[in-house]
């Protein structure tokens, strides 16, 4: 990553933009700082499947080719945000200074989002402005393509026909011809007004709501109970978290949108809806850290009643960042390969995946592995001597 305009270097990989919605938030800051740390060799790519042998030879854009920008409604510079995350233990001590140039370069590519307080622009005017920002980013930085990734705070589900902010950003991505990833439970492309544009835009998209902690565990445990013919009577969960997510999810409507995906995974993997609910509590003292607790009541042989309890403690930003980098690279590669529409092969990463996809993590991983083989075959066709540029077989 560099602050200077892109210069074509013979033999270098085409540069790929990663346009982050919520670009000054904890997840986005961790993504930018993390990518810079990896490319500088300061840390290993823990948690990134795209850096494992599974995707070797798949033609994914290298981390060194990624250029970051985005939209946000706040003005805290990325270097300062990174320092706060390091103080909270989210980023390693000293990393913000080590990658300060990369953070500053990305921060210069962040444009005002919206709607802002006192906003006077109409939804159409906002979409036009967001589209122009994207097109300018691609043109000015000499990018082969840019992937839009929504990582902003969860918004409540819309109650009327007007598109919420997440859908305005999604509409801009479509209009700019950019692939789109919704890493949040917010509406994004799933607004009815975007059904036709999404179909005609000719770009791949994936989402929604990244599966980072509690739901990741649920997608493993649900199939376990079902496959062992153990009857789950009740499944309850509680999340304690602070930071921006905690504040956003203190809104009952936003929390309901988040909890719906968590509960859906349980129902889908068990084949039935057990008793119990999932709750989210804002605990500002926790900062960017969270604790997720599940209480599962189930019946064993001869009706013996038993309980499994799990506790997950971690940092959502550190869990989410490698997935965001994976998804940006995978969707960029899908775009390069000529794939369009939803990518159910990427269900492994989401609570509520696009398209027809299984809910169990093992089945989702198998679909992802098949996708990796497909991309690898397409990459071999593209680079084989004496052959024209090819793409993986159509769905």
């Amino acid at each position: 990553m560099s602050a200077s305009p892109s210069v074509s270097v013979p033999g270098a990989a085409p540069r790929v933009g990663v346009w982050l919605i919520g670009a000054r938030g904890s997840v986005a800051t961790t993504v930018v700082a993390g990518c810079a740390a990896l490319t500088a060799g300061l840390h290993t790519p823990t948690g990134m499947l795209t850096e494992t042998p599974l995707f070797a030879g798949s033609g994914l854009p290298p981390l060194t080719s990624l250029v970051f920008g985005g939209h946000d409604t706040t003005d805290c510079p990325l270097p300062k945000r990174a320092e706060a995350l390091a103080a909270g233990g989210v980023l390693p001590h000293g990393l913000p200074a080590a990658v300060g140039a990369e953070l500053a370069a990305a921060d210069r590519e962040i444009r005002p989002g919206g709607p802002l307080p006192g906003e006077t622009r109409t939804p159409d005017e906002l979409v036009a402005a967001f589209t122009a920002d994207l097109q300018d980013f691609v043109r000015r930085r000499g990018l082969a393509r840019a992937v839009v990734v929504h990582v902003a705070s969860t918004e409540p589900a819309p109650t009327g026909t007007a598109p919420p902010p997440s859908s305005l950003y999604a509409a801009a991505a479509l209009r700019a011809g950019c692939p789109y990833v919704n890493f949040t439970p917010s509406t994004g492309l799933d607004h009815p007004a975007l059904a036709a544009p999404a179909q005609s835009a000719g770009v791949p998209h994936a989402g929604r709501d990244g599966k980072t902690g509690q739901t990741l565990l649920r997608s493993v445990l649900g199939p376990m109970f079902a496959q062992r013919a153990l009857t789950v009577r009740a499944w309850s969960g509680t999340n304690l978290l602070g930071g921006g997510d905690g504040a956003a999810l203190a809104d009952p409507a936003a929390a309901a949108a988040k909890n719906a995906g968590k509960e859906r995974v349980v129902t889908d993997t068990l084949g039935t809806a057990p008793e119990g609910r999932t709750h989210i509590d804002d605990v500002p003292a926790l900062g960017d850290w969270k604790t997720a607790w599940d209480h599962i009541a189930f019946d064993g042989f001869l009706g013996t009643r038993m309980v499994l309890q799990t506790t997950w403690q971690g940092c959502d930003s550190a869990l989410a960042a490698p997935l965001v980098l994976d998804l940006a690279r995978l969707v960029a590669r899908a775009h390069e390969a000529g794939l369009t529409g939803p990518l159910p092969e990427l269900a492994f990463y989401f609570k509520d995946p696009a398209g027809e996809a299984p809910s169990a993590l093992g089945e989702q991983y198998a679909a992802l592995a098949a996708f990796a083989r497909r991309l690898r075959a397409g990459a071999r066709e593209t680079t084989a001597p004496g052959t024209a540029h090819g793409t993986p077989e159509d769905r």
Side-chain angles (χ1 to χ4, degrees):
M1 292 177 289
S2 169
S4 60
S6 300
V7 177
S8 178
V9 178
R15 308 197 87 187
V16 172
V18 181
W19 189 262
L20 300 162
I21 308 304
R24 291 192 171 111
S26 296
V27 172
T29 305
T30 307
V31 166
V32 176
C35 185
L38 297 181
T39 57
L42 301 178
H43 289 271
T44 56
T46 303
M48 287 188 64
L49 277 178
T50 54
E51 286 293 297
T52 67
L54 177 66
F55 283 98
S58 296
L60 302 181
L63 291 172
T64 53
S65 73
L66 302 184
V67 181
F68 294 95
H71 282 116
D72 208 315
T73 56
T74 65
D75 56 7
C76 178
L78 277 180
K80 185 175 181 180
R81 181 69 180 129
E83 290 171 4
L85 291 176
V90 177
L91 295 179
H93 178 71
L95 183 61
V99 298
E102 288 86 350
L103 288 166
D107 193 69
R108 287 192 290 272
E109 297 293 349
I110 298 175
R111 301 294 178 262
L116 298 168
E119 185 66 71
T120 59
R121 291 172 293 179
T122 66
D124 284 343
E125 289 171 336
L126 286 167
V127 172
F130 298 158
T131 302
D133 290 336
L134 269 167
Q135 292 171 331
D136 176 67
F137 177 61
V138 172
R139 180 180 59 254
R140 189 167 38 78
R141 300 306 304 266
L143 306 177
R145 60 188 46 81
V147 179
V148 176
V149 186
H150 191 101
V151 290
S153 296
T154 300
E155 65 188 14
T159 55
T161 58
S166 65
S167 296
L168 301 181
Y169 292 118
L174 296 178
R175 195 174 294 182
C178 295
Y180 174 81
V181 177
N182 186 0
F183 201 74
T184 79
S186 300
T187 304
L189 273 186
D190 290 334
H191 193 276
L194 296 183
Q199 188 172 9
S200 62
V203 297
H205 57 87
R208 68 185 178 176
D209 199 2
K211 186 165 53 187
T212 57
Q214 182 183 39
T215 312
L216 177 68
L217 190 59
R218 287 181 168 197
S219 67
V220 175
L221 292 177
M224 178 194 74
F225 284 109
Q227 291 164 4
R228 288 295 300 269
L230 298 170
T231 302
V232 175
R233 293 181 290 107
W235 196 319
S236 300
T238 295
N239 284 260
L240 309 176
L241 71 160
D245 268 355
L249 294 171
D251 179 345
K258 185 77 171 178
N259 286 333
K262 292 178 177 288
E263 294 173 354
R264 187 180 303 109
V265 168
V266 170
T267 301
D268 289 348
T269 56
L270 292 177
T272 184
E275 295 179 5
R277 300 295 301 273
T278 302
H279 302 276
I280 296 177
D281 292 329
D282 177 25
V283 185
L286 293 179
D288 286 283
W289 297 80
K290 68 180 289 186
T291 296
W293 171 72
D294 275 77
H295 183 283
I296 308 163
F298 65 99
D299 290 341
F301 189 54
L302 303 179
T304 305
R305 295 200 163 189
M306 293 178 273
V307 168
L308 171 66
Q309 296 186 58
T310 66
T311 302
W312 179 291
Q313 293 179 306
C315 173
D316 254 4
S317 299
L319 290 165
L323 309 187
V324 171
L325 287 169
D326 273 357
L327 287 163
R329 299 172 78 192
L330 289 165
V331 176
R333 176 69 180 98
H335 188 229
E336 179 188 35
L339 303 181
T340 63
L343 296 173
E345 299 93 337
L346 303 185
F348 181 83
Y349 292 98
F350 298 104
K351 296 182 181 73
D352 190 13
E356 295 295 326
S359 299
L361 192 70
E363 296 175 49
Q364 292 175 342
Y365 183 82
L368 182 65
F371 188 58
R373 291 191 295 271
R374 184 179 176 194
L375 293 179
R376 190 156 48 245
R380 284 197 298 265
E381 292 175 11
T382 301
T383 58
T387 62
H389 285 273
T391 63
E393 66 276 11
D394 291 334
R395 285 193 188 90

